[in-house]
Amino acid sequence: VNGIEIYSMKIDSKVTSRFAHNVITSRAVNRGSEHKEVFFDVELPKTAFITNFSMTIDGVTYPGTIKEKEVAKKQYEKAVSKGQTAGLVKASGRKTEKFTVSVNVAAASKVTFELTYEELLKRQFGKYEMFIKVKPKQLVKDFEIEVNIFEPQGITELEAEGTFITNELQNTIKKTFSGEKGHLSFKPTLDQQRTCSNCSQSALDGDFIVKYDVTRTTPDNLQIVNGYFVHFFAPTNLPKLPKNVIFVIDISGSMSGRGIEQTREALLKILDDIEEDDFFNFILFGSEVHTWKETLIKATPENLDEARKFVRGIDTEGMTNLHGGLIRGIDMLNTGHERNLVPKRSASIIIMLTDGHPNVGISNTEEIQTHVKKAIEGKYPLYNLGFGYGIDYNFLEKMALENKGLARRIYPDSDAALQLQGFYDEVSNPMLMDVELNYPENEISDLTKNSFKHFYDGSEIVVAGRFIDHHQNSLTVNVRGEGANDVLSYTTQQDAEQTAKGFQEQEYIFGDYIERLWAYLTIEQLLEKRIAATGEEKENLTAEALDLSLKYKFVTPLTSMVVTKPEDSNNQDGIADKPIEGTDNFPILLYLRIQVLTIQLKLYISLFLPLTSYLPMVTAEAHPTWYTSVDGDPHFIISVPQKEDAICFNINENPGAVLNLINDPVTGIKVSGELIGDKRVNNDAKIQNTYFGKLGIANKQLGLKLTVTPEKITIQNGNEKTGFTWLDSVTLQQEGVTLIINRKKNLLLKMGSGASFVIVLHEVWKKHPLHQDFLGLYTLESDKLSEQTHGLLGQFFHPINFTILEIHPGSDPKKPDATMIIKNNELIVTRGWQKDFRRDPTRGIDVPCWFVHNNGAGLIDGVHTDYIVSSLF
């Protein structure tokens, strides 16, 4: 492609006792006659840690070095001062992160990229699963996936499937397994890679999944190597525990449409799978909390039929009383156990689904966490499912982890119902409760998590640790758990010699795999604990996880890998960070590049970027465009293109009030504005002037917050903030975002293929006795926001129609009144003008519109006070 030929790509995976060590090697050559940029672009599982990267150009190797994030950042900033840079890792899709690096190479030069990552394969539904993303983007002469598996317990099954695998490609997958060894390879020829016989396009584009399981003659397996041990526990053929499930479902207005339809669909399928010995109930929360039944109900056929009728009737209403819904569910489980309404030996689970932020009842998330933790008291796991991108994922995850559960994002796609059902399937078959794996305290140190609330059928519990005496070679373990009928107890003994016998096949084993498995698991669990920790405890967990990340060279959220490149040929260094779910990673380089841009940008723009070419909607030459805006004393203008007309209204509220203007739970875009008043009360006016003195635009998917006042502009990525003033002229282009500041006039924020926003600065005479500087907001391309968008402005991004009747003289002879029929309401409206300040921030241009009185009553959903929120974000 473009003169660059990738002539070899190999994915080599070695799995030893569930721990996978993967090496992706890509070789390319520049067939052109001049320098060309070569890209190495791969997707990795989110659960994996990168451990190494290097590139070799004409025999010279340039390695990546893993450092503490702060140290890497400083090194990176130094590199940035020499020119532009590239962030290397970002979240990509549901299961993957994308690693991208590019390098300029001379004509006829060859480059080899090699990336190594490791992960512990988890068992689900009775199988271990390894996920490999395949996307070479061109035909590759030598393409191969090779997987070697070594399991001392013995392999019982091995299979591979791919979303892109045709019948012909299926024949190129070769697999064998016997005893402890399994081998699988996929090596299509050039012709087999083609989408059709004469096509140059590659058919290799999708997911390649390897699944296997091991022999289980005993409930567990213990392995000891070089002073470390790993203990796998997965008993089979146990009777199922009855379960008690409370479904706590968000039915607030933002769930309307596809969201609530998919929830109903998933719940109906789940009802088909509930066992007769189980107990269950539904709790719905909007502004109010509703329950299906007052107590937990046994899953008899009659009750299930009644439940199906109830589920089919679930609909949306009101806002989000998350605290009320959760506490009602916990109280119901507590009552069920206290009054013996449920079997004594039964596993209780709470599954909550929400798509937004709590805003009724107790809405402070820290307060909710405290109440929930106190109410549950560690008795049952809480599973929080966050639907879409409008959620506070960090809050949901923290609350779940504090209560022995986990959080999961449900992606708002066509298969959302299947995602919900799939999660339920994972936790629907508890076999044991309160599982404790006990090891001799005087022999073991640095033990990973060894107590588990539930063991689910088809899963596996993994514990690893380090011997105090590195030369110790035997271990006795006791496991205890509550089963359906009685307490179960197991004792296992193992010595290093027995393990060694199983590991005769050295070519299958990489390094001290159990030690690395222990380090991986320990770091993963320390990072998880850190989410809910505070103060000194958080600092200690961070220090411990950082120390292990550096020692074992893992790229984790605490470390970064700096990739150095040849200094000639316009190459720039890059940095690889580990994205974190919930922050939706906005690449770190945004923060770093701004440091340079603020120093250099005025010259840069005047030389290379005439700003008018980037802001056609904000310059004097712009043609009229239909838009939705708020400007002035907040004057809301709603364009109605099919009428070639507009509706306008004012909001009269006190200075300091924050109004929710736009909230799109699907794209995660939220816009709010804070009102300011005049410098002093105007005694001559019945209603005091108010304006927007602060605007906030947040994009959850990008982890981005933009705060704008008449004095400054602040962009925030996570905890990192960078500021500009209106005296700056800035163009910042970053993956997914363009920010352009037009000195002392306006700014444009464009987010990928989504909506764009223009903020106009209004400056008044500094010595004016009453007025002060304020801001206006204009939304462009609002059709790129989702159908679930709401807010004072956002609700009008959907098509709206009206009819005007009985135009007659009003109190002002220049402004006639009329009757408007809109949303089944009859309103008295007045013909008038509002100012459009996009093209002329000083004087504005008059826009004719129908003015709706009384704070938009009858036009806006609800009343204007419904849109008052506690803070910008």
Side-chain angles (χ1 to χ4, degrees):
V1 176
N2 194 27
I4 301 297
E5 180 194 346
I6 300 171
Y7 60 89
S8 170
M9 180 174 275
K10 182 158 186 182
I11 301 164
D12 182 54
S13 296
K14 286 187 168 64
V15 182
T16 305
S17 294
R18 290 72 150 169
F19 195 60
H21 175 90
N22 307 284
V23 182
I24 301 176
T25 308
S26 177
R27 293 183 167 87
V29 60
N30 179 1
R31 300 282 187 207
S33 56
E34 57 187 13
H35 274 86
K36 287 277 173 70
E37 193 171 16
V38 183
F39 284 87
F40 176 67
D41 190 354
V42 295
E43 292 185 45
L44 321 171
K46 284 182 180 175
T47 47
F49 291 150
I50 292 170
T51 62
N52 198 16
F53 173 76
S54 68
M55 55 188 161
T56 303
I57 303 167
D58 293 335
V60 181
T61 298
Y62 301 88
T65 51
I66 293 172
K67 302 188 174 188
E68 182 182 353
K69 186 162 272 189
E70 289 306 311
V71 174
K73 196 184 292 179
K74 282 173 187 162
Q75 182 176 339
Y76 186 57
E77 283 177 6
K78 202 172 173 184
V80 165
S81 65
K82 299 174 189 173
Q84 288 184 327
T85 56
L88 304 181
V89 183
K90 64 175 188 294
S92 164
R94 298 180 188 179
K95 293 183 178 179
T96 57
E97 294 159 358
K98 185 178 277 191
F99 178 95
T100 305
V101 69
S102 67
V103 64
N104 279 298
V105 296
S109 285
K110 290 183 176 180
V111 57
T112 298
F113 300 101
E114 187 175 283
L115 179 73
T116 306
Y117 64 94
E118 294 177 344
E119 66 172 326
L120 178 64
L121 304 180
K122 292 185 171 62
R123 188 169 183 254
Q124 267 188 342
F125 307 119
K127 289 176 186 174
Y128 304 98
E129 185 176 294
M130 183 162 69
F131 177 90
I132 298 170
K133 192 77 174 176
V134 176
K135 196 170 186 174
K137 294 182 182 172
Q138 62 171 265
L139 301 174
V140 179
K141 186 178 171 186
D142 182 15
F143 180 92
E144 184 176 13
I145 296 174
E146 185 172 24
V147 180
N148 285 298
I149 303 171
F150 187 79
E151 288 288 352
Q153 287 169 266
I155 297 169
T156 55
E157 56 182 314
L158 173 63
E159 58 190 71
E161 56 191 49
T163 55
F164 58 90
I165 299 290
T166 59
N167 287 339
E168 186 184 4
L169 285 174
Q170 188 69 47
N171 297 330
T172 66
I173 299 175
K174 308 295 180 194
K175 60 173 186 175
T176 57
F177 65 95
S178 174
E180 297 134 344
K181 292 188 284 187
H183 179 262
L184 189 144
S185 72
F186 172 60
K187 194 173 181 180
T189 64
L190 270 176
D191 284 340
Q192 288 168 329
Q193 292 173 42
R194 298 180 195 276
T195 47
C196 68
S197 57
N198 299 318
C199 299
S200 57
Q201 206 174 345
S202 174
L204 308 186
D205 184 358
D207 306 339
F208 188 83
I209 296 161
V210 178
K211 295 181 181 179
Y212 75 93
D213 200 19
V214 300
T215 309
R216 298 180 195 281
T217 52
T218 57
D220 57 355
N221 177 257
L222 190 59
Q223 296 172 23
I224 301 167
V225 175
N226 296 341
Y228 290 82
F229 79 87
V230 62
H231 185 195
F232 301 106
F233 178 73
T236 53
N237 302 320
L238 292 175
K240 275 185 190 174
L241 270 165
K243 65 180 180 294
N244 316 304
V245 192
I246 298 269
F247 298 96
V248 182
I249 307 293
D250 182 346
I251 59 160
S252 62
S254 56
M255 283 285 288
S256 64
R258 196 78 183 100
I260 204 70
E261 283 172 26
Q262 291 172 317
T263 302
R264 287 195 294 260
E265 186 184 332
L267 291 175
L268 287 170
K269 285 177 180 165
I270 286 167
L271 286 171
D272 291 341
D273 295 335
I274 287 183
E275 307 273 341
E276 194 157 353
D277 289 338
D278 294 343
F279 284 72
F280 71 104
N281 204 344
F282 298 105
I283 291 173
L284 313 177
F285 65 91
S287 296
E288 305 291 327
V289 176
H290 309 280
T291 58
W292 171 50
K293 299 288 184 185
E294 289 308 304
T295 61
L296 282 151
I297 296 293
K298 197 168 192 290
T300 63
E302 298 76 25
N303 287 338
L304 286 170
D305 281 343
E306 195 181 333
R308 288 184 186 99
K309 285 178 194 163
F310 174 78
V311 166
R312 288 188 189 103
I314 292 175
D315 209 349
T316 55
E317 60 99 42
M319 296 171 80
T320 311
N321 187 357
L322 185 148
H323 173 266
L326 256 185
I327 293 297
R328 182 79 63 89
I330 298 163
D331 287 347
M332 193 176 285
L333 272 179
N334 287 341
T335 302
H337 284 280
E338 285 161 11
R339 296 186 185 171
N340 295 318
L341 302 174
V342 296
K344 192 173 181 186
R345 286 188 177 280
S346 59
S348 292
I349 300 165
I350 302 171
I351 298 175
M352 181 182 74
L353 172 71
T354 181
D355 78 332
H357 294 251
N359 54 20
V360 173
I362 295 176
S363 57
N364 180 293
T365 53
E366 288 182 10
E367 211 178 323
I368 294 172
Q369 281 165 224
T370 304
H371 286 205
V372 167
K373 191 175 180 183
K374 189 177 176 186
I376 290 181
E377 291 181 316
K379 295 192 289 283
Y380 347 98
L382 168 65
Y383 296 108
N384 287 333
L385 306 182
F387 193 98
Y389 302 104
I391 52 171
D392 183 344
Y393 190 87
N394 293 335
F395 155 62
L396 295 179
E397 184 174 43
K398 199 169 181 179
M399 186 162 63
L401 292 172
E402 280 183 335
N403 295 287
K404 302 185 179 180
L406 55 84
R408 181 80 56 84
R409 194 189 292 279
I410 302 297
Y411 293 85
D413 294 333
S414 58
D415 67 339
L418 289 173
Q419 294 174 58
L420 287 166
Q421 191 191 354
F423 176 79
Y424 172 77
D425 290 344
E426 287 177 46
V427 298
S428 62
N429 292 315
M431 312 303 273
L432 292 172
M433 291 186 298
D434 299 320
V435 181
E436 298 277 345
L437 300 95
N438 297 306
Y439 307 84
E441 284 183 24
N442 59 343
E443 296 176 12
I444 300 297
S445 72
D446 301 313
L447 190 66
T448 62
K449 180 179 171 181
N450 67 323
S451 67
F452 300 84
K453 192 67 199 166
H454 292 158
F455 166 72
Y456 296 106
D457 190 27
S459 70
E460 180 173 69
I461 287 171
V462 183
V463 181
R466 182 162 62 174
F467 288 104
I468 293 169
D469 175 3
H470 194 72
H471 300 292
Q472 181 173 332
N473 57 14
S474 64
L475 183 64
T476 301
V477 184
N478 293 306
V479 184
R480 184 185 180 282
E482 300 272 349
N485 304 318
D486 48 20
V487 175
L488 298 179
S489 187
Y490 306 91
T491 301
T492 302
Q493 287 181 305
Q494 179 68 299
D495 61 48
E497 278 184 27
Q498 282 175 281
T499 302
K501 278 180 196 170
F503 288 99
Q504 301 297 325
E505 308 286 339
Q506 281 302 313
E507 78 269 16
Y508 269 74
I509 299 169
F510 56 91
D512 298 324
Y513 82 95
I514 287 185
E515 183 178 347
R516 292 192 69 79
L517 186 159
W518 164 82
Y520 173 97
L521 200 54
T522 302
I523 293 167
E524 190 179 61
Q525 291 176 4
L526 288 169
L527 293 171
E528 200 172 86
K529 278 188 199 167
R530 184 173 167 264
I531 291 167
T534 54
E536 193 178 341
E537 184 195 2
K538 186 164 190 167
E539 285 176 22
N540 293 338
L541 290 166
T542 301
E544 199 179 337
L546 173 61
D547 187 50
L548 285 172
S549 300
L550 291 170
K551 181 178 177 182
Y552 290 96
K553 294 186 167 47
F554 287 130
V555 176
T556 70
L558 305 175
T559 53
S560 297
M561 182 168 65
V562 177
V563 177
T564 53
K565 304 180 188 179
E567 288 188 3
D568 57 352
S569 308
N570 290 329
N571 284 310
Q572 301 92 25
D573 292 0
I575 194 165
D577 283 325
K578 178 79 175 165
I580 306 167
E581 182 69 53
T583 57
D584 293 327
N585 214 49
F586 192 66
I588 193 77
L589 68 102
L590 176 60
Y591 163 75
L592 296 167
R593 279 184 63 191
I594 288 170
Q595 308 308 307
V596 184
L597 286 170
T598 50
I599 300 162
Q600 302 176 346
L601 245 145
K602 288 171 194 169
L603 174 65
Y604 178 69
I605 285 177
S606 61
L607 288 174
F608 302 109
L609 291 173
L611 195 57
T612 50
S613 67
Y614 273 81
L615 270 180
M617 308 305 297
V618 195
T619 57
E621 298 77 40
H623 299 292
T625 305
W626 293 109
Y627 58 87
T628 303
S629 70
V630 54
D631 206 339
D633 169 22
H635 296 308
F636 290 73
I637 307 179
I638 313 303
S639 68
V640 186
Q642 67 269 33
K643 294 276 188 185
E644 295 190 346
D645 208 343
I647 302 171
C648 42
F649 62 99
N650 282 0
I651 293 293
N652 300 311
E653 195 49 59
N654 295 326
V658 180
L659 299 174
N660 173 267
L661 302 175
I662 299 165
N663 187 5
D664 183 358
V666 175
T667 63
I669 292 173
K670 185 177 175 183
V671 183
S672 301
E674 183 176 329
L675 298 179
I676 55 170
D678 282 335
K679 292 176 183 173
R680 60 176 174 79
V681 173
N682 182 358
N683 295 321
D684 297 328
K686 285 186 198 171
I687 297 172
Q688 300 300 314
N689 289 324
T690 53
Y691 311 88
F692 279 115
K694 187 187 280 188
L695 289 166
I697 301 176
N699 186 318
K700 282 244 172 186
Q701 291 184 33
L702 299 175
L704 171 76
K705 289 180 182 174
L706 180 75
T707 308
V708 183
T709 70
E711 292 74 45
K712 62 182 181 179
I713 298 145
T714 307
I715 193 161
Q716 181 176 352
N717 166 35
N719 295 323
E720 295 164 349
K721 289 184 182 179
T722 303
F724 302 103
T725 74
W726 282 100
L727 297 173
D728 294 316
S729 287
V730 173
T731 294
L732 175 69
Q733 284 190 285
Q734 184 46 53
E735 182 148 348
V737 170
T738 300
L739 173 68
I740 299 170
I741 302 172
N742 190 2
R743 174 184 160 86
K744 295 182 77 173
K745 288 184 181 175
N746 43 49
L747 70 78
L748 169 73
L749 179 70
K750 183 168 177 59
M751 290 177 274
S753 57
S756 305
F757 301 95
V758 173
I759 295 176
V760 174
L761 172 67
H762 296 279
E763 289 185 299
V764 300
W765 177 45
K766 295 300 173 215
K767 294 180 182 177
H768 195 289
L770 278 178
H771 302 324
Q772 49 184 336
D773 296 350
F774 64 95
L775 303 169
L777 172 78
Y778 296 77
T779 307
L780 313 176
E781 300 171 288
S782 59
D783 56 323
K784 291 184 177 174
L785 292 166
S786 84
E787 290 180 0
Q788 295 179 37
T789 304
H790 210 261
L792 263 175
L793 271 181
Q795 63 189 290
F796 299 108
F797 295 165
H798 319 304
I800 187 170
N801 207 346
F802 64 84
T803 304
I804 292 292
L805 307 169
E806 303 168 2
I807 298 175
H808 57 273
S811 54
D812 183 338
K814 294 179 184 175
K815 296 178 180 178
D817 283 354
T819 300
M820 175 182 283
I821 310 293
I822 189 164
K823 292 185 175 179
N824 295 322
N825 295 324
E826 275 190 27
L827 309 177
I828 298 298
V829 294
T830 302
R831 192 62 172 172
W833 292 267
Q834 298 285 43
K835 293 281 189 188
D836 171 8
F837 291 100
R838 287 176 310 153
R839 285 158 263 174
D840 184 348
T842 310
R843 293 179 299 277
I845 292 168
D846 285 330
V847 174
C849 64
W850 290 105
F851 185 85
V852 179
H853 302 270
N854 303 322
N855 293 302
L859 169 68
I860 63 172
D861 294 340
V863 293
H864 81 276
T865 51
D866 293 346
Y867 300 88
I868 296 175
V869 291
S870 57
S871 65
L872 274 187
F873 301 110

